[in-house]
Amino acid sequence: VDLEETCIIMCLAFVERIMVFKQFDLLPTNWRRVVLTAFVIAAKTFYDEVVWNADFRSSFPNYDLSNLHKMELCMLEMIDYNVVVRQGLYAKYYFELRSISEEQNYGN
């Protein structure tokens, strides 16, 4: 599965929702699972076709996807099944990420 920038921005929105509204902490032991789960939910929300968890095996070959379904359900509950990213929030994230990217490119 190729993740477009829209999926990345949606992923960021989902992660921030659980951090802000559920006081969830990203830790060295959980951040990969959290981000992966948010990516999967974003892709399933964004793409206008059926996306199966098995479709992510090639993108994440070193990751055990056996619990992905449970992680999805947990995150969806934490975000109250709100997978909508409003236009204003999307624009905020887009321009913030773009600014960070430009700053890093100027440093090279």
Side-chain angles (χ1 to χ4, degrees):
V1 174
D2 293 324
L3 295 176
E4 297 182 22
E5 69 182 29
T6 299
C7 289
I8 295 168
I9 292 169
M10 291 175 72
C11 172
L12 177 60
F14 299 156
V15 171
E16 185 174 72
R17 282 179 191 168
I18 66 169
M19 291 175 66
V20 171
F21 298 116
K22 301 297 181 181
Q23 290 78 44
F24 185 88
D25 292 326
L26 287 181
L27 304 170
T29 56
N30 70 8
W31 75 267
R32 287 179 183 89
R33 288 180 296 198
V34 171
V35 171
L36 171 63
T37 304
F39 271 132
V40 169
I41 294 170
K44 288 182 174 183
T45 303
F46 176 72
Y47 291 111
D48 191 24
E49 58 189 51
V50 176
V51 179
W52 300 98
N53 288 350
D55 296 334
F56 293 92
R57 288 196 200 287
S58 62
S59 298
F60 303 99
N62 298 326
Y63 196 81
D64 178 15
L65 300 178
S66 61
N67 290 325
L68 188 55
H69 179 70
K70 290 177 188 174
M71 292 187 303
E72 281 180 85
L73 289 176
C74 182
M75 181 171 283
L76 286 167
E77 287 176 6
M78 291 176 80
I79 63 173
D80 297 322
Y81 294 87
N82 179 8
V83 294
V84 174
V85 178
R86 302 241 180 258
Q87 187 176 9
L89 184 62
Y90 180 92
K92 173 190 164 210
Y93 286 132
Y94 175 84
F95 288 111
E96 285 179 5
L97 290 172
R98 185 175 166 179
S99 174
I100 291 168
S101 175
E102 288 173 354
E103 288 173 9
Q104 289 183 352
N105 285 337
Y106 289 133
N108 291 334

